[in-house]
Protein backbone atom coordinates (compact mmCIF):
# COMPACT_ATOMS: atom_id res chain seq x y z
CA UNK A 1 0.00 0.00 0.00
CA UNK A 2 1.14 3.55 -0.72
CA UNK A 3 -0.29 6.11 1.68
CA UNK A 4 -2.53 8.91 0.34
CA UNK A 5 -2.22 7.86 -3.30
CA UNK A 6 -5.16 8.32 -5.63
CA UNK A 7 -5.44 6.65 -9.01
CA UNK A 8 -4.99 9.99 -10.73
CA UNK A 9 -1.88 10.80 -8.71
CA UNK A 10 -0.40 7.42 -9.58
CA UNK A 11 -0.80 8.40 -13.25
CA UNK A 12 1.17 11.57 -12.50
CA UNK A 13 3.98 10.19 -10.37
CA UNK A 14 4.15 6.37 -10.55
CA UNK A 15 4.61 6.05 -14.29
CA UNK A 16 7.30 3.35 -14.30
CA UNK A 17 5.43 1.27 -11.74
CA UNK A 18 2.16 1.54 -13.62
CA UNK A 19 3.81 0.73 -16.94
CA UNK A 20 5.39 -2.45 -15.59
CA UNK A 21 2.24 -3.60 -13.81
CA UNK A 22 -0.14 -2.90 -16.69
CA UNK A 23 2.02 -3.77 -19.70
CA UNK A 24 4.39 -6.48 -18.46
CA UNK A 25 2.39 -8.10 -15.67
CA UNK A 26 -1.02 -7.49 -17.28
CA UNK A 27 -2.45 -6.21 -13.99
CA UNK A 28 -6.04 -5.00 -13.70
CA UNK A 29 -6.72 -1.41 -12.64
CA UNK A 30 -9.96 -0.68 -10.80
CA UNK A 31 -11.19 2.63 -12.18
CA UNK A 32 -14.16 3.04 -9.84
CA UNK A 33 -12.38 2.21 -6.59
CA UNK A 34 -13.87 4.35 -3.77
CA UNK A 35 -12.63 4.66 -0.19
CA UNK A 36 -15.01 3.70 2.62
CA UNK A 37 -13.90 5.92 5.52
CA UNK A 38 -11.89 9.00 6.52
CA UNK A 39 -8.28 7.87 6.89
CA UNK A 40 -5.82 4.98 6.82
CA UNK A 41 -6.91 3.01 9.87
CA UNK A 42 -10.58 2.33 8.96
CA UNK A 43 -9.81 1.93 5.25
CA UNK A 44 -7.10 -0.68 5.77
CA UNK A 45 -9.14 -2.35 8.52
CA UNK A 46 -11.58 -3.27 5.77
CA UNK A 47 -8.83 -5.47 4.28
CA UNK A 48 -7.94 -7.50 7.36
CA UNK A 49 -8.49 -11.21 6.98
CA UNK A 50 -8.17 -14.46 8.88
CA UNK A 51 -5.32 -16.05 6.93
CA UNK A 52 -3.50 -17.22 10.05
CA UNK A 53 -6.45 -19.41 11.06
CA UNK A 54 -6.02 -21.33 7.80
CA UNK A 55 -2.32 -21.97 8.28
CA UNK A 56 -0.87 -18.98 6.42
CA UNK A 57 2.26 -17.24 7.67
CA UNK A 58 1.35 -13.58 8.10
CA UNK A 59 3.29 -10.31 7.93
CA UNK A 60 2.37 -6.71 8.66
CA UNK A 61 4.76 -3.83 8.17
CA UNK A 62 4.76 -0.10 7.55
CA UNK A 63 7.52 2.46 7.78
CA UNK A 64 5.94 4.42 10.62
CA UNK A 65 3.46 3.44 13.28
CA UNK A 66 2.27 6.97 13.90
CA UNK A 67 -1.50 7.27 14.31
CA UNK A 68 -3.26 10.30 15.75
CA UNK A 69 -4.57 9.51 19.22
CA UNK A 70 -3.98 5.76 18.83
CA UNK A 71 -1.27 3.73 20.61
CA UNK A 72 -1.06 0.97 17.99
CA UNK A 73 -1.44 -2.78 18.52
CA UNK A 74 -1.41 -4.03 22.09
CA UNK A 75 -0.30 -7.50 21.01
CA UNK A 76 1.72 -8.63 18.00
CA UNK A 77 -0.91 -9.00 15.24
CA UNK A 78 1.01 -11.21 12.78
CA UNK A 79 3.79 -13.79 12.68
CA UNK A 80 6.20 -11.22 11.26
CA UNK A 81 5.70 -7.71 12.61
CA UNK A 82 7.99 -4.83 11.66
CA UNK A 83 7.28 -2.35 14.45
CA UNK A 84 10.35 -3.22 16.62
CA UNK A 85 12.66 -2.65 13.64
CA UNK A 86 11.09 0.67 12.66
CA UNK A 87 10.94 1.80 16.30
CA UNK A 88 14.67 1.12 16.58
CA UNK A 89 15.76 3.12 13.55
CA UNK A 90 13.32 5.91 14.41
CA UNK A 91 14.95 6.54 17.79
CA UNK A 92 16.83 9.80 17.89
CA UNK A 93 14.90 11.45 15.06
CA UNK A 94 13.04 14.65 15.84
CA UNK A 95 10.23 14.14 13.35
CA UNK A 96 7.96 11.16 12.90
CA UNK A 97 8.18 11.49 9.11
CA UNK A 98 11.97 11.57 8.88
CA UNK A 99 12.69 9.84 5.54
CA UNK A 100 16.19 8.34 5.63
CA UNK A 101 18.13 6.15 8.06
CA UNK A 102 21.71 4.93 7.64
CA UNK A 103 21.79 5.94 3.99
CA UNK A 104 18.50 4.29 2.99
CA UNK A 105 15.00 5.64 2.66
CA UNK A 106 12.26 4.17 4.80
CA UNK A 107 10.62 2.87 1.62
CA UNK A 108 13.77 0.93 0.73
CA UNK A 109 13.56 -0.85 4.07
CA UNK A 110 9.88 -1.68 3.46
CA UNK A 111 10.60 -3.15 0.02
CA UNK A 112 13.68 -5.08 1.17
CA UNK A 113 11.71 -6.60 4.01
CA UNK A 114 8.87 -7.57 1.70
CA UNK A 115 11.17 -9.03 -0.97
CA UNK A 116 13.10 -11.10 1.58
CA UNK A 117 9.90 -12.45 3.09
CA UNK A 118 8.52 -13.46 -0.30
CA UNK A 119 11.83 -15.12 -1.18
CA UNK A 120 11.99 -17.10 2.05
CA UNK A 121 8.31 -18.04 2.16
CA UNK A 122 7.80 -18.79 -1.54
CA UNK A 123 7.12 -22.48 -0.90
CA UNK A 124 4.62 -21.81 1.88
CA UNK A 125 1.26 -20.02 1.97
CA UNK A 126 1.68 -16.48 3.30
CA UNK A 127 -0.08 -13.13 3.53
CA UNK A 128 1.75 -9.80 3.70
CA UNK A 129 0.49 -6.24 4.08
CA UNK A 130 3.37 -3.80 3.48
CA UNK A 131 2.72 -0.07 3.69
CA UNK A 132 4.70 2.97 2.50
CA UNK A 133 3.64 5.85 4.76
CA UNK A 134 6.40 8.42 5.25
CA UNK A 135 7.09 9.51 1.69
CA UNK A 136 3.53 10.22 0.60
CA UNK A 137 1.53 10.88 3.78
CA UNK A 138 1.45 14.66 3.43
CA UNK A 139 2.81 15.17 -0.08
CA UNK A 140 1.16 15.09 -3.48
CA UNK A 141 4.46 14.89 -5.35
CA UNK A 142 6.84 12.68 -3.33
CA UNK A 143 5.39 9.49 -4.82
CA UNK A 144 7.78 10.09 -7.71
CA UNK A 145 10.71 9.41 -5.36
CA UNK A 146 9.63 5.78 -4.86
CA UNK A 147 8.43 5.07 -8.40
CA UNK A 148 11.68 3.52 -9.63
CA UNK A 149 12.17 1.65 -6.34
CA UNK A 150 8.78 -0.05 -6.55
CA UNK A 151 9.13 -0.72 -10.27
CA UNK A 152 12.51 -2.42 -9.75
CA UNK A 153 11.14 -4.47 -6.86
CA UNK A 154 8.32 -5.72 -9.07
CA UNK A 155 10.83 -6.58 -11.79
CA UNK A 156 12.95 -8.52 -9.30
CA UNK A 157 9.94 -10.43 -8.01
CA UNK A 158 8.95 -11.30 -11.57
CA UNK A 159 12.43 -12.25 -12.83
CA UNK A 160 13.02 -14.46 -9.80
CA UNK A 161 9.72 -16.28 -10.44
CA UNK A 162 8.31 -15.08 -7.12
CA UNK A 163 5.00 -14.04 -8.67
CA UNK A 164 4.19 -17.42 -10.20
CA UNK A 165 1.93 -18.36 -7.32
CA UNK A 166 1.35 -14.93 -5.82
CA UNK A 167 -1.58 -12.53 -5.99
CA UNK A 168 -0.46 -8.93 -5.64
CA UNK A 169 -2.29 -5.64 -5.14
CA UNK A 170 -0.73 -2.18 -5.23
CA UNK A 171 -3.17 0.33 -3.81
CA UNK A 172 -3.76 3.51 -1.87
CA UNK A 173 -5.84 3.79 1.27
CA UNK A 174 -7.28 7.09 0.01
CA UNK A 175 -6.06 10.15 -1.89
CA UNK A 176 -4.18 13.14 -0.47
CA UNK A 177 -5.83 14.57 2.64
CA UNK A 178 -3.69 17.67 3.23
CA UNK A 179 -2.33 20.71 1.44
CA UNK A 180 -3.82 23.28 -0.90
CA UNK A 181 -5.17 20.73 -3.37
CA UNK A 182 -7.52 18.97 -0.97
CA UNK A 183 -10.23 21.71 -0.76
CA UNK A 184 -10.48 21.92 -4.58
CA UNK A 185 -12.93 19.90 -6.64
CA UNK A 186 -10.24 17.59 -8.02
CA UNK A 187 -8.70 17.28 -4.55
CA UNK A 188 -12.00 16.20 -3.02
CA UNK A 189 -12.52 13.71 -5.83
CA UNK A 190 -9.01 12.27 -5.60
CA UNK A 191 -9.29 11.88 -1.83
CA UNK A 192 -12.21 9.51 -2.42
CA UNK A 193 -10.70 7.51 -5.30
CA UNK A 194 -7.54 5.63 -4.27
CA UNK A 195 -5.34 3.65 -6.62
CA UNK A 196 -5.90 -0.09 -6.97
CA UNK A 197 -3.92 -2.31 -9.36
CA UNK A 198 -4.34 -6.05 -8.99
CA UNK A 199 -2.11 -8.79 -10.42
CA UNK A 200 -3.10 -12.44 -10.74
CA UNK A 201 -0.67 -15.14 -11.99
CA UNK A 202 -1.06 -16.50 -15.55
CA UNK A 203 -2.28 -19.95 -14.48
CA UNK A 204 -5.22 -18.36 -12.67
CA UNK A 205 -6.45 -16.74 -15.89
CA UNK A 206 -6.67 -20.17 -17.51
CA UNK A 207 -7.89 -22.32 -14.63
CA UNK A 208 -10.40 -19.75 -13.37
CA UNK A 209 -11.14 -17.92 -16.61
CA UNK A 210 -14.65 -16.87 -15.53
CA UNK A 211 -13.27 -15.34 -12.32
CA UNK A 212 -10.66 -13.43 -14.30
CA UNK A 213 -13.26 -12.24 -16.79
CA UNK A 214 -15.35 -10.91 -13.91
CA UNK A 215 -12.32 -9.11 -12.47
CA UNK A 216 -11.74 -7.37 -15.81
CA UNK A 217 -15.41 -6.41 -16.08
CA UNK A 218 -15.53 -5.14 -12.50
CA UNK A 219 -12.62 -2.82 -13.27
CA UNK A 220 -15.13 -0.29 -14.60
CA UNK A 221 -17.67 -0.66 -11.78
CA UNK A 222 -17.93 0.98 -8.35
CA UNK A 223 -15.76 -1.06 -5.94
CA UNK A 224 -14.25 -0.65 -2.47
CA UNK A 225 -11.80 -2.00 0.10
CA UNK A 226 -14.67 -4.19 1.34
CA UNK A 227 -14.67 -5.92 -2.06
CA UNK A 228 -10.92 -6.42 -1.90
CA UNK A 229 -11.34 -8.06 1.49
CA UNK A 230 -14.04 -10.36 0.08
CA UNK A 231 -11.71 -11.17 -2.82
CA UNK A 232 -8.92 -12.17 -0.43
CA UNK A 233 -11.31 -14.49 1.35
CA UNK A 234 -12.48 -15.88 -2.00
CA UNK A 235 -8.85 -16.71 -2.82
CA UNK A 236 -8.80 -18.95 0.23
CA UNK A 237 -11.69 -21.00 -1.12
CA UNK A 238 -11.62 -20.72 -4.92
CA UNK A 239 -13.16 -24.15 -5.42
CA UNK A 240 -16.03 -23.48 -3.00
CA UNK A 241 -15.07 -26.08 -0.44
CA UNK A 242 -17.16 -24.30 2.18
CA UNK A 243 -14.40 -23.49 4.63
CA UNK A 244 -16.81 -21.39 6.65
CA UNK A 245 -15.17 -18.11 5.63
CA UNK A 246 -17.41 -15.07 5.94
CA UNK A 247 -17.04 -11.77 4.13
CA UNK A 248 -16.34 -8.57 6.04
CA UNK A 249 -19.70 -8.03 7.70
CA UNK A 250 -21.19 -9.00 4.35
CA UNK A 251 -20.37 -5.54 2.97
CA UNK A 252 -18.19 -6.67 0.09
CA UNK A 253 -18.52 -8.69 -3.11
CA UNK A 254 -15.56 -10.66 -4.40
CA UNK A 255 -14.05 -9.07 -7.49
CA UNK A 256 -14.09 -12.55 -9.01
CA UNK A 257 -17.89 -12.45 -8.98
CA UNK A 258 -20.18 -10.30 -11.10
CA UNK A 259 -20.81 -6.94 -9.44
CA UNK A 260 -23.98 -5.13 -10.61
CA UNK A 261 -23.25 -2.33 -13.07
CA UNK A 262 -25.89 -0.13 -11.45
CA UNK A 263 -24.36 -0.52 -7.99
CA UNK A 264 -24.79 2.57 -5.82
CA UNK A 265 -22.68 3.85 -2.94
CA UNK A 266 -25.43 2.72 -0.60
CA UNK A 267 -25.27 -0.77 -2.11
CA UNK A 268 -21.48 -0.76 -1.64
CA UNK A 269 -21.73 0.50 1.98
CA UNK A 270 -19.90 3.74 1.19
CA UNK A 271 -21.05 6.57 3.49
CA UNK A 272 -22.64 9.41 1.53
CA UNK A 273 -19.88 11.80 2.63
CA UNK A 274 -17.22 9.72 0.86
CA UNK A 275 -19.21 8.78 -2.23
CA UNK A 276 -17.45 10.08 -5.35
CA UNK A 277 -20.71 9.66 -7.28
CA UNK A 278 -22.13 12.64 -5.37
CA UNK A 279 -19.60 15.08 -6.84
CA UNK A 280 -20.51 17.18 -9.86
CA UNK A 281 -18.68 19.96 -11.67
Amino acid sequence: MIESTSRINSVRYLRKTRKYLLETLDATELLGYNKVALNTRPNTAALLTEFSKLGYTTHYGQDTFYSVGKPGFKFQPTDYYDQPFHDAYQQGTKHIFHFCFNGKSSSEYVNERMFNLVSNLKDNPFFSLSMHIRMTHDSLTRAVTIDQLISKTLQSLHKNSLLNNTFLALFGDHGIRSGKVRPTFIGQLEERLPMMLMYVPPWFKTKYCSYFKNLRTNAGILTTHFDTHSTLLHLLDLDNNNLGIKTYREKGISLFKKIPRNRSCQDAHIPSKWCACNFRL
Side-chain angles (χ1 to χ4, degrees):
M1 188 207 83
I2 305 178
E3 166 78 28
S4 301
T5 301
S6 67
R7 188 187 76 83
I8 297 174
N9 211 41
S10 76
V11 173
R12 297 187 190 106
Y13 297 115
L14 295 174
R15 297 180 183 181
K16 293 178 181 178
T17 298
R18 289 176 55 85
K19 181 179 176 66
Y20 195 78
L21 275 167
L22 294 170
E23 296 182 11
T24 302
L25 297 182
D26 191 34
T28 301
E29 181 171 27
L30 302 186
L31 305 178
Y33 202 70
N34 202 119
K35 76 173 190 174
V36 296
L38 174 64
N39 54 21
T40 305
R41 182 179 293 268
N43 279 296
T44 54
L47 299 175
L48 297 180
T49 62
E50 297 183 354
F51 279 89
S52 60
K53 292 183 179 179
L54 294 176
Y56 279 66
T57 300
T58 56
H59 163 251
Y60 177 76
Q62 63 185 64
D63 58 3
T64 180
F65 285 82
Y66 170 78
S67 184
V68 178
K70 303 293 182 181
F73 294 105
K74 186 175 182 180
F75 302 104
Q76 181 168 323
T78 51
D79 297 311
Y80 292 93
Y81 184 43
D82 292 356
Q83 181 165 359
F85 172 75
H86 291 289
D87 281 348
Y89 77 52
Q90 189 169 285
Q91 288 181 4
T93 61
K94 295 181 179 180
H95 195 277
I96 197 72
F97 292 118
H98 193 79
F99 302 127
C100 295
F101 308 88
N102 296 322
K104 288 184 180 180
S105 71
S106 59
S107 288
E108 286 181 87
Y109 285 113
V110 170
N111 273 29
E112 284 183 5
R113 175 71 162 166
M114 182 270 294
F115 184 86
N116 290 336
L117 277 167
V118 175
S119 299
N120 291 323
L121 297 174
K122 63 182 179 180
D123 296 323
N124 301 290
F126 70 92
F127 170 80
S128 172
L129 178 58
S130 299
M131 303 166 67
H132 295 268
I133 306 291
R134 293 173 185 266
M135 287 294 186
T136 57
H137 179 270
D138 56 356
S139 172
L140 191 69
T141 60
R142 275 200 299 266
V144 72
T145 64
I146 60 175
D147 184 25
Q148 184 166 325
L149 169 67
I150 295 175
S151 176
K152 285 188 173 181
T153 300
L154 291 171
Q155 292 176 46
S156 295
L157 288 169
H158 188 209
K159 291 176 181 178
N160 286 281
S161 301
L162 297 175
L163 295 179
N164 291 349
N165 200 35
T166 300
F167 293 78
L168 182 148
L170 183 69
F171 64 98
D173 47 353
H174 48 72
I176 193 72
R177 295 184 53 250
S178 61
K180 296 180 180 179
V181 174
R182 188 189 185 193
T184 66
F185 173 80
I186 189 63
Q188 292 284 299
L189 197 60
E190 285 195 44
E191 179 188 356
R192 288 155 174 76
L193 297 173
M195 164 188 70
M196 172 56 83
L197 294 131
M198 191 170 291
Y199 162 84
V200 300
W203 61 263
F204 179 88
K205 300 173 185 178
T206 302
K207 184 175 181 179
Y208 299 100
C209 56
S210 62
Y211 288 168
F212 181 65
K213 181 180 179 181
N214 288 337
L215 174 63
R216 289 295 211 207
T217 300
N218 292 335
I221 297 174
L222 180 66
T223 51
T224 73
H225 294 306
F226 292 132
D227 301 322
T228 301
H229 176 269
S230 295
T231 306
L232 292 173
L233 294 181
H234 194 173
L235 282 170
L236 295 174
D237 193 19
L238 286 170
D239 296 316
N240 298 313
N241 292 319
N242 297 317
L243 298 179
I245 301 169
K246 295 183 179 180
T247 59
Y248 187 84
R249 298 178 184 174
E250 300 181 352
K251 291 183 177 181
I253 300 174
S254 169
L255 294 165
F256 299 143
K257 297 180 179 180
K258 291 183 179 180
I259 296 177
R261 285 189 171 276
N262 62 348
R263 191 187 202 190
S264 67
C265 283
Q266 184 176 4
D267 295 332
H269 299 278
I270 302 169
S272 178
K273 181 177 182 179
W274 307 123
C275 179
C277 304
N278 291 338
F279 279 77
R280 298 288 186 273
L281 281 171

